[in-house]
Amino acid sequence: MSDRLRPGVLFDVDGTLVDTNYLHALAWSRAFREVGEWAPMNAIHRLIGMGGDQLVSRLLGKEHPEAAAARPRYYRELAEDVRVLPQAAALLRDLHQHGLLIVLATSAPADELERIRTVIDADDVIDGQTTSDDIHESKPSPEVFETAMQRFSIDPRRTLAVGDSIWDVRAARAAGIGCLTVESGGFSQHELSEAGARQVYRDVAKIFDQLHTSPLAQLSSGP
């Protein structure tokens, strides 16, 4: 680890940079049906952003390893429907150009993130990633953000997270950093604000349009 901490931005991925939250909800629904379980689609969607280590028990009231094992197969069947959200790559490039470290911090496993990074097409400005493979507990635990800051020598005093769910906000606050949010994952402005988001935007395209007046612009001007 470098002795000099740098400012950075920790990006959630699903629902923030790529339009995948409803694909995940459908994959979970199909996985539950395969193993003889059921949860309403709206309830599944509300928990997207958590990893399977927490989502399954919250929905079913118990752990279900068979359902968790089936979900990746159904998600792979939907992979062709993954779309990057407008201006996602442009936002990453602009922030990187201003000297900020860009790290993807997600509850998704590394193999799924590999496919998503191809769709985002901005690997030249992404400095690193932390996934469910790197942590013991997914969001709203702060571990994925804490691991990212430690691994890539990022200064918590000059770091913001960007996410789409109340789970991102709670994880960021527990990690001691602020969180900007977008509504593209399905949570409303009211819900995200109530959870403690520093600012709520319609999507990352709106952050990109307003970047120079956003809290992100202040990160690279610190000490």
Side-chain angles (χ1 to χ4, degrees):
M1 178 181 295
S2 169
D3 291 334
R4 185 175 183 275
L5 299 179
R6 292 178 56 188
V9 187
L10 310 181
F11 276 92
D12 172 63
V13 178
D14 291 297
T16 302
L17 298 175
V18 289
D19 189 18
T20 51
N21 280 10
Y22 294 96
L23 302 181
H24 282 293
L26 181 57
W28 275 115
S29 179
R30 292 175 175 176
F32 290 147
R33 183 173 58 190
E34 177 181 306
V35 300
E37 299 285 355
W38 179 82
M41 194 78 80
N42 69 305
I44 298 173
H45 171 258
R46 301 294 294 175
L47 298 182
I48 297 300
M50 291 183 175
D53 59 314
Q54 299 192 60
L55 179 147
V56 174
S57 60
R58 290 209 185 194
L59 284 170
L60 303 182
K62 61 184 178 181
E63 294 184 0
H64 204 308
E66 293 82 5
R71 183 211 62 85
R73 172 163 40 86
Y74 286 111
Y75 182 70
R76 285 194 296 271
E77 293 174 357
L78 300 167
E80 292 302 317
D81 292 315
V82 173
R83 294 290 183 273
V84 63
L85 287 163
Q87 301 291 11
L91 176 61
L92 299 182
R93 294 182 189 284
D94 204 341
L95 292 171
H96 188 270
Q97 185 177 1
H98 283 81
L100 299 173
L101 287 175
I102 306 299
V103 176
L104 307 182
T106 173
S107 295
D111 61 333
E112 291 180 7
L113 182 58
E114 181 178 358
R115 159 73 180 171
I116 287 174
R117 288 182 64 153
T118 301
V119 174
I120 296 172
D121 193 24
D123 271 359
D124 53 313
V125 297
I126 295 173
D127 296 290
Q129 65 181 45
T130 52
T131 71
S132 61
D133 297 339
D134 303 309
I135 59 177
H136 294 97
E137 190 175 11
S138 64
K139 300 169 188 173
S141 163
E143 188 178 2
V144 69
F145 291 144
E146 292 172 341
T147 300
M149 289 187 288
Q150 181 178 21
R151 178 176 293 177
F152 299 102
S153 300
I154 298 175
D155 186 351
R157 300 167 300 174
R158 298 169 64 194
T159 299
L160 287 170
V162 179
D164 69 298
S165 72
I166 62 174
W167 318 119
D168 293 309
V169 179
R170 292 178 184 177
R173 294 184 69 183
I177 60 176
C179 186
L180 307 186
T181 54
V182 290
E183 296 178 275
S184 48
F187 280 91
S188 69
Q189 180 177 10
H190 175 75
E191 291 172 305
L192 296 166
S193 296
E194 284 290 303
R198 283 189 56 177
Q199 201 157 331
V200 182
Y201 298 85
R202 184 184 64 216
D203 50 29
V204 287
K206 185 60 68 174
I207 297 179
F208 180 72
D209 290 342
Q210 300 179 6
L211 182 59
H212 299 296
T213 59
S214 78
L216 292 169
Q218 301 170 18
L219 293 178
S220 60
S221 60

mmCIF file with all atom_site columns, all heavy atoms in Angstrom, residues 92-117:
data_model
loop_
_atom_site.group_PDB
_atom_site.id
_atom_site.type_symbol
_atom_site.label_atom_id
_atom_site.label_alt_id
_atom_site.label_comp_id
_atom_site.label_asym_id
_atom_site.label_entity_id
_atom_site.label_seq_id
_atom_site.pdbx_PDB_ins_code
_atom_site.Cartn_x
_atom_site.Cartn_y
_atom_site.Cartn_z
_atom_site.occupancy
_atom_site.B_iso_or_equiv
_atom_site.pdbx_formal_charge
_atom_site.auth_seq_id
_atom_site.auth_comp_id
_atom_site.auth_asym_id
_atom_site.auth_atom_id
_atom_site.pdbx_PDB_model_num
ATOM 1   N N   . LEU A 1 92  ? -16.968 8.304   -15.717 1.00 0.00 ? 92  LEU A N   1
ATOM 2   C CA  . LEU A 1 92  ? -15.761 7.684   -15.172 1.00 0.00 ? 92  LEU A CA  1
ATOM 3   C C   . LEU A 1 92  ? -14.511 8.341   -15.751 1.00 0.00 ? 92  LEU A C   1
ATOM 4   O O   . LEU A 1 92  ? -13.552 8.622   -15.024 1.00 0.00 ? 92  LEU A O   1
ATOM 5   C CB  . LEU A 1 92  ? -15.748 6.186   -15.482 1.00 0.00 ? 92  LEU A CB  1
ATOM 6   C CG  . LEU A 1 92  ? -16.896 5.340   -14.916 1.00 0.00 ? 92  LEU A CG  1
ATOM 7   C CD1 . LEU A 1 92  ? -16.698 3.869   -15.292 1.00 0.00 ? 92  LEU A CD1 1
ATOM 8   C CD2 . LEU A 1 92  ? -17.004 5.491   -13.408 1.00 0.00 ? 92  LEU A CD2 1
ATOM 9   N N   . ARG A 1 93  ? -14.518 8.600   -17.041 1.00 0.00 ? 93  ARG A N   1
ATOM 10  C CA  . ARG A 1 93  ? -13.343 9.201   -17.682 1.00 0.00 ? 93  ARG A CA  1
ATOM 11  C C   . ARG A 1 93  ? -13.092 10.622  -17.183 1.00 0.00 ? 93  ARG A C   1
ATOM 12  O O   . ARG A 1 93  ? -11.946 11.020  -16.958 1.00 0.00 ? 93  ARG A O   1
ATOM 13  C CB  . ARG A 1 93  ? -13.535 9.203   -19.205 1.00 0.00 ? 93  ARG A CB  1
ATOM 14  C CG  . ARG A 1 93  ? -13.559 7.811   -19.812 1.00 0.00 ? 93  ARG A CG  1
ATOM 15  C CD  . ARG A 1 93  ? -13.692 7.848   -21.332 1.00 0.00 ? 93  ARG A CD  1
ATOM 16  N NE  . ARG A 1 93  ? -13.919 6.513   -21.845 1.00 0.00 ? 93  ARG A NE  1
ATOM 17  C CZ  . ARG A 1 93  ? -12.963 5.583   -21.948 1.00 0.00 ? 93  ARG A CZ  1
ATOM 18  N NH1 . ARG A 1 93  ? -11.722 5.875   -21.593 1.00 0.00 ? 93  ARG A NH1 1
ATOM 19  N NH2 . ARG A 1 93  ? -13.248 4.376   -22.414 1.00 0.00 ? 93  ARG A NH2 1
ATOM 20  N N   . ASP A 1 94  ? -14.153 11.384  -17.013 1.00 0.00 ? 94  ASP A N   1
ATOM 21  C CA  . ASP A 1 94  ? -13.995 12.767  -16.556 1.00 0.00 ? 94  ASP A CA  1
ATOM 22  C C   . ASP A 1 94  ? -13.435 12.806  -15.140 1.00 0.00 ? 94  ASP A C   1
ATOM 23  O O   . ASP A 1 94  ? -12.521 13.583  -14.824 1.00 0.00 ? 94  ASP A O   1
ATOM 24  C CB  . ASP A 1 94  ? -15.349 13.485  -16.608 1.00 0.00 ? 94  ASP A CB  1
ATOM 25  C CG  . ASP A 1 94  ? -15.195 14.993  -16.732 1.00 0.00 ? 94  ASP A CG  1
ATOM 26  O OD1 . ASP A 1 94  ? -14.110 15.505  -16.418 1.00 0.00 ? 94  ASP A OD1 1
ATOM 27  O OD2 . ASP A 1 94  ? -16.159 15.665  -17.129 1.00 0.00 ? 94  ASP A OD2 1
ATOM 28  N N   . LEU A 1 95  ? -13.961 11.953  -14.266 1.00 0.00 ? 95  LEU A N   1
ATOM 29  C CA  . LEU A 1 95  ? -13.475 11.911  -12.886 1.00 0.00 ? 95  LEU A CA  1
ATOM 30  C C   . LEU A 1 95  ? -12.012 11.465  -12.833 1.00 0.00 ? 95  LEU A C   1
ATOM 31  O O   . LEU A 1 95  ? -11.211 12.014  -12.069 1.00 0.00 ? 95  LEU A O   1
ATOM 32  C CB  . LEU A 1 95  ? -14.344 10.975  -12.055 1.00 0.00 ? 95  LEU A CB  1
ATOM 33  C CG  . LEU A 1 95  ? -15.779 11.444  -11.806 1.00 0.00 ? 95  LEU A CG  1
ATOM 34  C CD1 . LEU A 1 95  ? -16.599 10.327  -11.168 1.00 0.00 ? 95  LEU A CD1 1
ATOM 35  C CD2 . LEU A 1 95  ? -15.793 12.686  -10.910 1.00 0.00 ? 95  LEU A CD2 1
ATOM 36  N N   . HIS A 1 96  ? -11.673 10.482  -13.633 1.00 0.00 ? 96  HIS A N   1
ATOM 37  C CA  . HIS A 1 96  ? -10.286 10.006  -13.669 1.00 0.00 ? 96  HIS A CA  1
ATOM 38  C C   . HIS A 1 96  ? -9.357  11.103  -14.174 1.00 0.00 ? 96  HIS A C   1
ATOM 39  O O   . HIS A 1 96  ? -8.236  11.273  -13.651 1.00 0.00 ? 96  HIS A O   1
ATOM 40  C CB  . HIS A 1 96  ? -10.198 8.770   -14.569 1.00 0.00 ? 96  HIS A CB  1
ATOM 41  C CG  . HIS A 1 96  ? -8.878  8.088   -14.536 1.00 0.00 ? 96  HIS A CG  1
ATOM 42  N ND1 . HIS A 1 96  ? -7.836  8.408   -15.397 1.00 0.00 ? 96  HIS A ND1 1
ATOM 43  C CD2 . HIS A 1 96  ? -8.400  7.103   -13.730 1.00 0.00 ? 96  HIS A CD2 1
ATOM 44  C CE1 . HIS A 1 96  ? -6.794  7.636   -15.120 1.00 0.00 ? 96  HIS A CE1 1
ATOM 45  N NE2 . HIS A 1 96  ? -7.094  6.846   -14.125 1.00 0.00 ? 96  HIS A NE2 1
ATOM 46  N N   . GLN A 1 97  ? -9.805  11.851  -15.167 1.00 0.00 ? 97  GLN A N   1
ATOM 47  C CA  . GLN A 1 97  ? -8.998  12.935  -15.716 1.00 0.00 ? 97  GLN A CA  1
ATOM 48  C C   . GLN A 1 97  ? -8.712  14.008  -14.669 1.00 0.00 ? 97  GLN A C   1
ATOM 49  O O   . GLN A 1 97  ? -7.688  14.690  -14.724 1.00 0.00 ? 97  GLN A O   1
ATOM 50  C CB  . GLN A 1 97  ? -9.703  13.551  -16.926 1.00 0.00 ? 97  GLN A CB  1
ATOM 51  C CG  . GLN A 1 97  ? -8.891  14.618  -17.648 1.00 0.00 ? 97  GLN A CG  1
ATOM 52  C CD  . GLN A 1 97  ? -9.613  15.128  -18.879 1.00 0.00 ? 97  GLN A CD  1
ATOM 53  O OE1 . GLN A 1 97  ? -10.726 14.713  -19.190 1.00 0.00 ? 97  GLN A OE1 1
ATOM 54  N NE2 . GLN A 1 97  ? -8.966  16.029  -19.605 1.00 0.00 ? 97  GLN A NE2 1
ATOM 55  N N   . HIS A 1 98  ? -9.599  14.128  -13.684 1.00 0.00 ? 98  HIS A N   1
ATOM 56  C CA  . HIS A 1 98  ? -9.414  15.108  -12.616 1.00 0.00 ? 98  HIS A CA  1
ATOM 57  C C   . HIS A 1 98  ? -8.615  14.539  -11.438 1.00 0.00 ? 98  HIS A C   1
ATOM 58  O O   . HIS A 1 98  ? -8.606  15.122  -10.351 1.00 0.00 ? 98  HIS A O   1
ATOM 59  C CB  . HIS A 1 98  ? -10.769 15.623  -12.130 1.00 0.00 ? 98  HIS A CB  1
ATOM 60  C CG  . HIS A 1 98  ? -11.381 16.627  -13.067 1.00 0.00 ? 98  HIS A CG  1
ATOM 61  N ND1 . HIS A 1 98  ? -12.060 16.274  -14.206 1.00 0.00 ? 98  HIS A ND1 1
ATOM 62  C CD2 . HIS A 1 98  ? -11.393 18.002  -13.035 1.00 0.00 ? 98  HIS A CD2 1
ATOM 63  C CE1 . HIS A 1 98  ? -12.466 17.365  -14.824 1.00 0.00 ? 98  HIS A CE1 1
ATOM 64  N NE2 . HIS A 1 98  ? -12.079 18.421  -14.146 1.00 0.00 ? 98  HIS A NE2 1
ATOM 65  N N   . GLY A 1 99  ? -7.976  13.400  -11.652 1.00 0.00 ? 99  GLY A N   1
ATOM 66  C CA  . GLY A 1 99  ? -7.056  12.872  -10.656 1.00 0.00 ? 99  GLY A CA  1
ATOM 67  C C   . GLY A 1 99  ? -7.670  12.010  -9.580  1.00 0.00 ? 99  GLY A C   1
ATOM 68  O O   . GLY A 1 99  ? -7.027  11.738  -8.554  1.00 0.00 ? 99  GLY A O   1
ATOM 69  N N   . LEU A 1 100 ? -8.908  11.552  -9.780  1.00 0.00 ? 100 LEU A N   1
ATOM 70  C CA  . LEU A 1 100 ? -9.564  10.715  -8.781  1.00 0.00 ? 100 LEU A CA  1
ATOM 71  C C   . LEU A 1 100 ? -9.405  9.242   -9.125  1.00 0.00 ? 100 LEU A C   1
ATOM 72  O O   . LEU A 1 100 ? -9.523  8.853   -10.289 1.00 0.00 ? 100 LEU A O   1
ATOM 73  C CB  . LEU A 1 100 ? -11.058 11.061  -8.707  1.00 0.00 ? 100 LEU A CB  1
ATOM 74  C CG  . LEU A 1 100 ? -11.371 12.504  -8.305  1.00 0.00 ? 100 LEU A CG  1
ATOM 75  C CD1 . LEU A 1 100 ? -12.868 12.770  -8.426  1.00 0.00 ? 100 LEU A CD1 1
ATOM 76  C CD2 . LEU A 1 100 ? -10.905 12.787  -6.888  1.00 0.00 ? 100 LEU A CD2 1
ATOM 77  N N   . LEU A 1 101 ? -9.145  8.442   -8.111  1.00 0.00 ? 101 LEU A N   1
ATOM 78  C CA  . LEU A 1 101 ? -9.122  7.002   -8.310  1.00 0.00 ? 101 LEU A CA  1
ATOM 79  C C   . LEU A 1 101 ? -10.549 6.502   -8.495  1.00 0.00 ? 101 LEU A C   1
ATOM 80  O O   . LEU A 1 101 ? -11.455 6.899   -7.760  1.00 0.00 ? 101 LEU A O   1
ATOM 81  C CB  . LEU A 1 101 ? -8.483  6.300   -7.109  1.00 0.00 ? 101 LEU A CB  1
ATOM 82  C CG  . LEU A 1 101 ? -6.966  6.434   -6.962  1.00 0.00 ? 101 LEU A CG  1
ATOM 83  C CD1 . LEU A 1 101 ? -6.519  5.792   -5.647  1.00 0.00 ? 101 LEU A CD1 1
ATOM 84  C CD2 . LEU A 1 101 ? -6.254  5.762   -8.129  1.00 0.00 ? 101 LEU A CD2 1
ATOM 85  N N   . ILE A 1 102 ? -10.742 5.630   -9.458  1.00 0.00 ? 102 ILE A N   1
ATOM 86  C CA  . ILE A 1 102 ? -12.058 5.091   -9.765  1.00 0.00 ? 102 ILE A CA  1
ATOM 87  C C   . ILE A 1 102 ? -12.051 3.598   -9.440  1.00 0.00 ? 102 ILE A C   1
ATOM 88  O O   . ILE A 1 102 ? -11.317 2.819   -10.054 1.00 0.00 ? 102 ILE A O   1
ATOM 89  C CB  . ILE A 1 102 ? -12.420 5.286   -11.250 1.00 0.00 ? 102 ILE A CB  1
ATOM 90  C CG1 . ILE A 1 102 ? -12.293 6.758   -11.640 1.00 0.00 ? 102 ILE A CG1 1
ATOM 91  C CG2 . ILE A 1 102 ? -13.812 4.734   -11.533 1.00 0.00 ? 102 ILE A CG2 1
ATOM 92  C CD1 . ILE A 1 102 ? -13.192 7.678   -10.867 1.00 0.00 ? 102 ILE A CD1 1
ATOM 93  N N   . VAL A 1 103 ? -12.878 3.210   -8.468  1.00 0.00 ? 103 VAL A N   1
ATOM 94  C CA  . VAL A 1 103 ? -12.952 1.813   -8.060  1.00 0.00 ? 103 VAL A CA  1
ATOM 95  C C   . VAL A 1 103 ? -14.405 1.354   -8.091  1.00 0.00 ? 103 VAL A C   1
ATOM 96  O O   . VAL A 1 103 ? -15.288 2.047   -7.577  1.00 0.00 ? 103 VAL A O   1
ATOM 97  C CB  . VAL A 1 103 ? -12.366 1.608   -6.644  1.00 0.00 ? 103 VAL A CB  1
ATOM 98  C CG1 . VAL A 1 103 ? -12.537 0.157   -6.192  1.00 0.00 ? 103 VAL A CG1 1
ATOM 99  C CG2 . VAL A 1 103 ? -10.894 1.992   -6.626  1.00 0.00 ? 103 VAL A CG2 1
ATOM 100 N N   . LEU A 1 104 ? -14.641 0.213   -8.698  1.00 0.00 ? 104 LEU A N   1
ATOM 101 C CA  . LEU A 1 104 ? -15.968 -0.397  -8.690  1.00 0.00 ? 104 LEU A CA  1
ATOM 102 C C   . LEU A 1 104 ? -16.105 -1.218  -7.416  1.00 0.00 ? 104 LEU A C   1
ATOM 103 O O   . LEU A 1 104 ? -15.239 -2.042  -7.115  1.00 0.00 ? 104 LEU A O   1
ATOM 104 C CB  . LEU A 1 104 ? -16.159 -1.289  -9.915  1.00 0.00 ? 104 LEU A CB  1
ATOM 105 C CG  . LEU A 1 104 ? -15.864 -0.646  -11.277 1.00 0.00 ? 104 LEU A CG  1
ATOM 106 C CD1 . LEU A 1 104 ? -16.143 -1.639  -12.405 1.00 0.00 ? 104 LEU A CD1 1
ATOM 107 C CD2 . LEU A 1 104 ? -16.666 0.631   -11.470 1.00 0.00 ? 104 LEU A CD2 1
ATOM 108 N N   . ALA A 1 105 ? -17.177 -0.985  -6.668  1.00 0.00 ? 105 ALA A N   1
ATOM 109 C CA  . ALA A 1 105 ? -17.382 -1.663  -5.382  1.00 0.00 ? 105 ALA A CA  1
ATOM 110 C C   . ALA A 1 105 ? -18.791 -2.235  -5.378  1.00 0.00 ? 105 ALA A C   1
ATOM 111 O O   . ALA A 1 105 ? -19.765 -1.507  -5.198  1.00 0.00 ? 105 ALA A O   1
ATOM 112 C CB  . ALA A 1 105 ? -17.186 -0.685  -4.227  1.00 0.00 ? 105 ALA A CB  1
ATOM 113 N N   . THR A 1 106 ? -18.892 -3.542  -5.579  1.00 0.00 ? 106 THR A N   1
ATOM 114 C CA  . THR A 1 106 ? -20.172 -4.165  -5.846  1.00 0.00 ? 106 THR A CA  1
ATOM 115 C C   . THR A 1 106 ? -20.390 -5.439  -5.039  1.00 0.00 ? 106 THR A C   1
ATOM 116 O O   . THR A 1 106 ? -19.431 -6.115  -4.659  1.00 0.00 ? 106 THR A O   1
ATOM 117 C CB  . THR A 1 106 ? -20.291 -4.498  -7.354  1.00 0.00 ? 106 THR A CB  1
ATOM 118 O OG1 . THR A 1 106 ? -21.480 -5.250  -7.598  1.00 0.00 ? 106 THR A OG1 1
ATOM 119 C CG2 . THR A 1 106 ? -19.098 -5.311  -7.825  1.00 0.00 ? 106 THR A CG2 1
ATOM 120 N N   . SER A 1 107 ? -21.658 -5.765  -4.825  1.00 0.00 ? 107 SER A N   1
ATOM 121 C CA  . SER A 1 107 ? -22.012 -7.023  -4.175  1.00 0.00 ? 107 SER A CA  1
ATOM 122 C C   . SER A 1 107 ? -22.040 -8.178  -5.157  1.00 0.00 ? 107 SER A C   1
ATOM 123 O O   . SER A 1 107 ? -22.276 -9.330  -4.770  1.00 0.00 ? 107 SER A O   1
ATOM 124 C CB  . SER A 1 107 ? -23.386 -6.902  -3.503  1.00 0.00 ? 107 SER A CB  1
ATOM 125 O OG  . SER A 1 107 ? -23.368 -5.967  -2.457  1.00 0.00 ? 107 SER A OG  1
ATOM 126 N N   . ALA A 1 108 ? -21.818 -7.901  -6.441  1.00 0.00 ? 108 ALA A N   1
ATOM 127 C CA  . ALA A 1 108 ? -21.805 -8.944  -7.460  1.00 0.00 ? 108 ALA A CA  1
ATOM 128 C C   . ALA A 1 108 ? -20.496 -9.734  -7.400  1.00 0.00 ? 108 ALA A C   1
ATOM 129 O O   . ALA A 1 108 ? -19.469 -9.217  -6.955  1.00 0.00 ? 108 ALA A O   1
ATOM 130 C CB  . ALA A 1 108 ? -21.963 -8.326  -8.845  1.00 0.00 ? 108 ALA A CB  1
ATOM 131 N N   . PRO A 1 109 ? -20.498 -10.982 -7.870  1.00 0.00 ? 109 PRO A N   1
ATOM 132 C CA  . PRO A 1 109 ? -19.254 -11.756 -7.944  1.00 0.00 ? 109 PRO A CA  1
ATOM 133 C C   . PRO A 1 109 ? -18.374 -11.280 -9.093  1.00 0.00 ? 109 PRO A C   1
ATOM 134 O O   . PRO A 1 109 ? -18.845 -10.633 -10.030 1.00 0.00 ? 109 PRO A O   1
ATOM 135 C CB  . PRO A 1 109 ? -19.746 -13.197 -8.178  1.00 0.00 ? 109 PRO A CB  1
ATOM 136 C CG  . PRO A 1 109 ? -21.083 -13.049 -8.810  1.00 0.00 ? 109 PRO A CG  1
ATOM 137 C CD  . PRO A 1 109 ? -21.683 -11.786 -8.241  1.00 0.00 ? 109 PRO A CD  1
ATOM 138 N N   . ALA A 1 110 ? -17.093 -11.621 -9.028  1.00 0.00 ? 110 ALA A N   1
ATOM 139 C CA  . ALA A 1 110 ? -16.121 -11.122 -9.997  1.00 0.00 ? 110 ALA A CA  1
ATOM 140 C C   . ALA A 1 110 ? -16.427 -11.571 -11.420 1.00 0.00 ? 110 ALA A C   1
ATOM 141 O O   . ALA A 1 110 ? -16.208 -10.816 -12.371 1.00 0.00 ? 110 ALA A O   1
ATOM 142 C CB  . ALA A 1 110 ? -14.716 -11.566 -9.592  1.00 0.00 ? 110 ALA A CB  1
ATOM 143 N N   . ASP A 1 111 ? -16.924 -12.789 -11.606 1.00 0.00 ? 111 ASP A N   1
ATOM 144 C CA  . ASP A 1 111 ? -17.164 -13.258 -12.967 1.00 0.00 ? 111 ASP A CA  1
ATOM 145 C C   . ASP A 1 111 ? -18.286 -12.482 -13.644 1.00 0.00 ? 111 ASP A C   1
ATOM 146 O O   . ASP A 1 111 ? -18.224 -12.211 -14.846 1.00 0.00 ? 111 ASP A O   1
ATOM 147 C CB  . ASP A 1 111 ? -17.454 -14.761 -12.985 1.00 0.00 ? 111 ASP A CB  1
ATOM 148 C CG  . ASP A 1 111 ? -18.695 -15.147 -12.187 1.00 0.00 ? 111 ASP A CG  1
ATOM 149 O OD1 . ASP A 1 111 ? -19.037 -14.423 -11.235 1.00 0.00 ? 111 ASP A OD1 1
ATOM 150 O OD2 . ASP A 1 111 ? -19.304 -16.183 -12.516 1.00 0.00 ? 111 ASP A OD2 1
ATOM 151 N N   . GLU A 1 112 ? -19.288 -12.063 -12.879 1.00 0.00 ? 112 GLU A N   1
ATOM 152 C CA  . GLU A 1 112 ? -20.354 -11.255 -13.464 1.00 0.00 ? 112 GLU A CA  1
ATOM 153 C C   . GLU A 1 112 ? -19.866 -9.830  -13.732 1.00 0.00 ? 112 GLU A C   1
ATOM 154 O O   . GLU A 1 112 ? -20.253 -9.217  -14.728 1.00 0.00 ? 112 GLU A O   1
ATOM 155 C CB  . GLU A 1 112 ? -21.573 -11.245 -12.548 1.00 0.00 ? 112 GLU A CB  1
ATOM 156 C CG  . GLU A 1 112 ? -22.263 -12.605 -12.482 1.00 0.00 ? 112 GLU A CG  1
ATOM 157 C CD  . GLU A 1 112 ? -23.482 -12.626 -11.583 1.00 0.00 ? 112 GLU A CD  1
ATOM 158 O OE1 . GLU A 1 112 ? -23.888 -11.544 -11.095 1.00 0.00 ? 112 GLU A OE1 1
ATOM 159 O OE2 . GLU A 1 112 ? -24.033 -13.722 -11.369 1.00 0.00 ? 112 GLU A OE2 1
ATOM 160 N N   . LEU A 1 113 ? -19.032 -9.313  -12.867 1.00 0.00 ? 113 LEU A N   1
ATOM 161 C CA  . LEU A 1 113 ? -18.495 -7.975  -13.084 1.00 0.00 ? 113 LEU A CA  1
ATOM 162 C C   . LEU A 1 113 ? -17.604 -7.927  -14.319 1.00 0.00 ? 113 LEU A C   1
ATOM 163 O O   . LEU A 1 113 ? -17.569 -6.916  -15.025 1.00 0.00 ? 113 LEU A O   1
ATOM 164 C CB  . LEU A 1 113 ? -17.715 -7.503  -11.855 1.00 0.00 ? 113 LEU A CB  1
ATOM 165 C CG  . LEU A 1 113 ? -17.149 -6.085  -11.938 1.00 0.00 ? 113 LEU A CG  1
ATOM 166 C CD1 . LEU A 1 113 ? -18.249 -5.059  -12.188 1.00 0.00 ? 113 LEU A CD1 1
ATOM 167 C CD2 . LEU A 1 113 ? -16.395 -5.746  -10.656 1.00 0.00 ? 113 LEU A CD2 1
ATOM 168 N N   . GLU A 1 114 ? -16.919 -9.021  -14.614 1.00 0.00 ? 114 GLU A N   1
ATOM 169 C CA  . GLU A 1 114 ? -16.052 -9.050  -15.801 1.00 0.00 ? 114 GLU A CA  1
ATOM 170 C C   . GLU A 1 114 ? -16.868 -8.775  -17.067 1.00 0.00 ? 114 GLU A C   1
ATOM 171 O O   . GLU A 1 114 ? -16.462 -7.992  -17.924 1.00 0.00 ? 114 GLU A O   1
ATOM 172 C CB  . GLU A 1 114 ? -15.366 -10.414 -15.905 1.00 0.00 ? 114 GLU A CB  1
ATOM 173 C CG  . GLU A 1 114 ? -14.419 -10.534 -17.088 1.00 0.00 ? 114 GLU A CG  1
ATOM 174 C CD  . GLU A 1 114 ? -13.725 -11.884 -17.138 1.00 0.00 ? 114 GLU A CD  1
ATOM 175 O OE1 . GLU A 1 114 ? -13.954 -12.714 -16.234 1.00 0.00 ? 114 GLU A OE1 1
ATOM 176 O OE2 . GLU A 1 114 ? -12.950 -12.105 -18.089 1.00 0.00 ? 114 GLU A OE2 1
ATOM 177 N N   . ARG A 1 115 ? -18.017 -9.399  -17.179 1.00 0.00 ? 115 ARG A N   1
ATOM 178 C CA  . ARG A 1 115 ? -18.906 -9.173  -18.329 1.00 0.00 ? 115 ARG A CA  1
ATOM 179 C C   . ARG A 1 115 ? -19.395 -7.723  -18.349 1.00 0.00 ? 115 ARG A C   1
ATOM 180 O O   . ARG A 1 115 ? -19.425 -7.069  -19.391 1.00 0.00 ? 115 ARG A O   1
ATOM 181 C CB  . ARG A 1 115 ? -20.090 -10.147 -18.256 1.00 0.00 ? 115 ARG A CB  1
ATOM 182 C CG  . ARG A 1 115 ? -21.322 -9.752  -19.043 1.00 0.00 ? 115 ARG A CG  1
ATOM 183 C CD  . ARG A 1 115 ? -21.143 -9.916  -20.526 1.00 0.00 ? 115 ARG A CD  1
ATOM 184 N NE  . ARG A 1 115 ? -22.363 -9.523  -21.240 1.00 0.00 ? 115 ARG A NE  1
ATOM 185 C CZ  . ARG A 1 115 ? -22.440 -9.392  -22.544 1.00 0.00 ? 115 ARG A CZ  1
ATOM 186 N NH1 . ARG A 1 115 ? -21.393 -9.649  -23.296 1.00 0.00 ? 115 ARG A NH1 1
ATOM 187 N NH2 . ARG A 1 115 ? -23.571 -9.025  -23.124 1.00 0.00 ? 115 ARG A NH2 1
ATOM 188 N N   . ILE A 1 116 ? -19.760 -7.205  -17.194 1.00 0.00 ? 116 ILE A N   1
ATOM 189 C CA  . ILE A 1 116 ? -20.292 -5.845  -17.114 1.00 0.00 ? 116 ILE A CA  1
ATOM 190 C C   . ILE A 1 116 ? -19.225 -4.818  -17.484 1.00 0.00 ? 116 ILE A C   1
ATOM 191 O O   . ILE A 1 116 ? -19.506 -3.821  -18.158 1.00 0.00 ? 116 ILE A O   1
ATOM 192 C CB  . ILE A 1 116 ? -20.856 -5.588  -15.710 1.00 0.00 ? 116 ILE A CB  1
ATOM 193 C CG1 . ILE A 1 116 ? -22.168 -6.362  -15.534 1.00 0.00 ? 116 ILE A CG1 1
ATOM 194 C CG2 . ILE A 1 116 ? -21.081 -4.100  -15.464 1.00 0.00 ? 116 ILE A CG2 1
ATOM 195 C CD1 . ILE A 1 116 ? -22.739 -6.307  -14.136 1.00 0.00 ? 116 ILE A CD1 1
ATOM 196 N N   . ARG A 1 117 ? -17.983 -5.064  -17.068 1.00 0.00 ? 117 ARG A N   1
ATOM 197 C CA  . ARG A 1 117 ? -16.912 -4.126  -17.422 1.00 0.00 ? 117 ARG A CA  1
ATOM 198 C C   . ARG A 1 117 ? -16.719 -4.056  -18.925 1.00 0.00 ? 117 ARG A C   1
ATOM 199 O O   . ARG A 1 117 ? -16.389 -2.995  -19.473 1.00 0.00 ? 117 ARG A O   1
ATOM 200 C CB  . ARG A 1 117 ? -15.612 -4.510  -16.717 1.00 0.00 ? 117 ARG A CB  1
ATOM 201 C CG  . ARG A 1 117 ? -15.645 -4.215  -15.232 1.00 0.00 ? 117 ARG A CG  1
ATOM 202 C CD  . ARG A 1 117 ? -14.332 -4.549  -14.544 1.00 0.00 ? 117 ARG A CD  1
ATOM 203 N NE  . ARG A 1 117 ? -13.225 -3.736  -15.011 1.00 0.00 ? 117 ARG A NE  1
ATOM 204 C CZ  . ARG A 1 117 ? -12.149 -3.446  -14.284 1.00 0.00 ? 117 ARG A CZ  1
ATOM 205 N NH1 . ARG A 1 117 ? -12.065 -3.890  -13.029 1.00 0.00 ? 117 ARG A NH1 1
ATOM 206 N NH2 . ARG A 1 117 ? -11.174 -2.712  -14.776 1.00 0.00 ? 117 ARG A NH2 1
#
